[in-house]
Amino acid sequence: MPAEAIAGALVQERFDQTDSLTNYARMVGSSLVAREFLDRRFIDGRERNRLHPTQGASDIILDKYNADPNAMTVGRDIRKKIKNPLLVDYGPAGMKFQNAIRAILNNPDDPAFAQYVKDLYSADVALHKGSDQALMASTIGAYLREGARNYQSNMSVNGDLTTGIDAWTRLDPSTRNALLVQFYKQGPTPKLALKNSMIAAQNGVPYVPRIGVDGAGATYLANEPAIIRALADGPASFSDRWNAINDRAGRDYQRSVRNPADRFTNPASRADVQPSVDLNPGRPHTFRSIYGI
C-alpha cells in the first residue's frame, strides 16, 4: 500500500478524533472501553494460564475472534460494539481489534506482526496505546488492501474480477489513495455505492466509485501535497515517518487517561494508556490548523 494512503488514513483519524466535542468524547469513551476490555482479559488470562497470563489472555481473545471472524459494524452500530469490544475503534489510528487480529493472522510473515502472531493481547495493548508505530502502519496497510479488493470487486463487470482490477488500476494514484482513505473511514461499501455498482454491472460497464465532496477522500486530496512533503521530510522507515509527522503536527501524546484498573498486576497497564490529544478542534476538512502541514 502507498505510504501516502496509510499516512492519510492516520492523519484523518487523528483529525476526526478531535474535530468536535462529540468526537473527542467518543474517543475518550472508546479508550476507556478498550482499557476495561484489556484489563478483564488479563485477569481471565491469569486464571487460564497462571504462569503466562498474557498468553492466556491472547487465547481468550483468539477464541472471541474465532467465534465470529466476519463480525463487522456499519456506522456507529453501538449495540454491536457493546456486545463485542473487538469492534470498538481503539488507539490513535482508530483501529478495530477485529481488523487488526485478522491482519496479523493472515499476514504472519510481515515483520511488524511476527512478535504478535501468538501474542494477540500485547498487539491489542500496543494498538490501544499507539506504542508500536510499525504495527499501526502494517495493520492499516492490511485493511487498506481489503479496501482495494473491495473496490476492485465492485468495479468488476459480469463477475470478472480482472475487469475490476484493470478499472482500479486505470484510476490515477491520487484518486486511488483518496478512495482508500475514504474506505478506512467508511468501511465496507455503503448501500448507495453498492446500488450504483449493481446498476453499472447490469449495464455492462465498470462501476466508478465516487469521492464524497465533504468526506475523508476529499480531505485527503486537499491535503495530499502536505502529506507528501511530510513523508519526504521524514526518515526512510515508515515508523520514523509517523514520528516525523507527529513532530510537524506538534501534538502532545504524553498525557494519559487515568483509570483505576492500574491496581492489577498487568505489566502493560503500568505504562501510559492510549495517548490523549489536546482538545483543539480545527476548521472542517483541513489539517493545516491542527497539524501544521
Side-chain angles (χ1 to χ4, degrees), residues 232-277:
D233 291 344
S237 72
F238 192 86
S239 61
D240 288 335
R241 288 177 178 178
W242 160 272
N243 289 331
I245 292 175
N246 280 348
D247 290 341
R248 293 192 65 169
R251 304 286 263 174
D252 179 8
Y253 270 81
Q254 300 305 315
R255 294 177 299 162
S256 62
V257 179
R258 294 182 180 274
N259 191 300
D262 281 331
R263 65 181 179 274
F264 299 127
T265 57
N266 177 358
S269 68
R270 299 193 189 104
D272 289 340
V273 298
Q274 177 194 342
S276 62
V277 294

Side-chain angles (χ1 to χ4, degrees), residues 11-281:
V11 177
Q12 180 70 49
E13 182 63 32
R14 291 178 58 200
F15 174 81
D16 288 346
Q17 287 176 350
T18 55
D19 186 36
S20 67
L21 287 170
T22 300
N23 286 354
Y24 183 79
R26 290 194 185 110
M27 179 195 69
V28 173
S30 293
S31 179
L32 295 176
V33 170
R35 184 58 179 276
E36 180 182 8
F37 172 77
L38 290 169
D39 281 333
R40 288 185 176 181
R41 294 297 78 74
F42 183 84
I43 294 173
D44 294 341
R46 186 169 53 189
E47 294 179 357
R48 184 164 179 169
N49 190 333
R50 292 189 174 278
L51 294 179
H52 303 286
T54 58
Q55 182 60 60
S58 296
D59 293 340
I60 294 172
I61 290 173
L62 181 59
D63 289 344
K64 188 168 187 60
Y65 170 82
N66 285 333
D68 190 1
N70 297 317
M72 56 178 286
T73 57
V74 178
R76 296 195 179 100
D77 218 341
I78 296 176
R79 291 185 179 179
K80 185 176 287 188
K81 291 180 178 180
I82 291 175
K83 293 180 179 179
N84 186 355
L86 295 180
L87 297 174
V88 174
D89 297 340
Y90 294 143
M95 174 60 65
K96 291 179 174 59
F97 285 175
Q98 182 81 10
N99 296 336
I101 292 171
R102 183 171 62 252
I104 292 171
L105 297 179
N106 291 343
N107 302 277
D109 295 331
D110 187 320
F113 295 154
Q115 64 178 309
Y116 300 115
V117 174
K118 296 185 181 299
D119 191 3
L120 296 176
Y121 174 80
S122 294
D124 290 351
V125 170
L127 286 170
H128 168 50
K129 296 176 180 177
S131 58
D132 188 334
Q133 291 85 10
L135 174 64
M136 283 193 290
S138 285
T139 52
I140 291 175
Y143 189 62
L144 294 184
R145 283 195 294 273
E146 292 184 14
R149 290 192 292 268
N150 182 271
Y151 282 121
Q152 291 164 1
S153 176
N154 291 339
M155 297 170 76
S156 298
V157 178
N158 297 326
D160 183 357
L161 185 58
T162 302
T163 62
I165 295 174
D166 290 342
W168 172 256
T169 304
R170 284 195 296 270
L171 297 176
D172 66 272
S174 294
T175 299
R176 291 199 301 266
N177 289 342
L179 288 169
L180 290 172
V181 172
Q182 187 166 280
F183 176 86
Y184 189 76
K185 296 301 300 179
Q186 291 182 346
T189 311
K191 291 183 179 179
L192 179 58
L194 187 59
K195 177 181 178 181
N196 290 336
S197 69
M198 293 176 63
I199 293 175
Q202 291 172 357
N203 293 330
V205 296
Y207 161 69
V208 180
R210 298 179 180 179
I211 297 174
V213 296
D214 60 351
T219 306
Y220 170 83
L221 290 177
N223 292 275
E224 184 181 49
I227 292 173
I228 292 175
R229 286 197 303 271
L231 289 171
D233 291 344
S237 72
F238 192 86
S239 61
D240 288 335
R241 288 177 178 178
W242 160 272
N243 289 331
I245 292 175
N246 280 348
D247 290 341
R248 293 192 65 169
R251 304 286 263 174
D252 179 8
Y253 270 81
Q254 300 305 315
R255 294 177 299 162
S256 62
V257 179
R258 294 182 180 274
N259 191 300
D262 281 331
R263 65 181 179 274
F264 299 127
T265 57
N266 177 358
S269 68
R270 299 193 189 104
D272 289 340
V273 298
Q274 177 194 342
S276 62
V277 294
D278 291 335
L279 180 55
N280 179 27

Side-chain angles (χ1 to χ4, degrees), residues 279-292:
L279 180 55
N280 179 27
R283 293 172 295 168
H285 315 310
T286 176
F287 302 140
R288 188 173 301 280
S289 60
I290 291 182
Y291 294 97

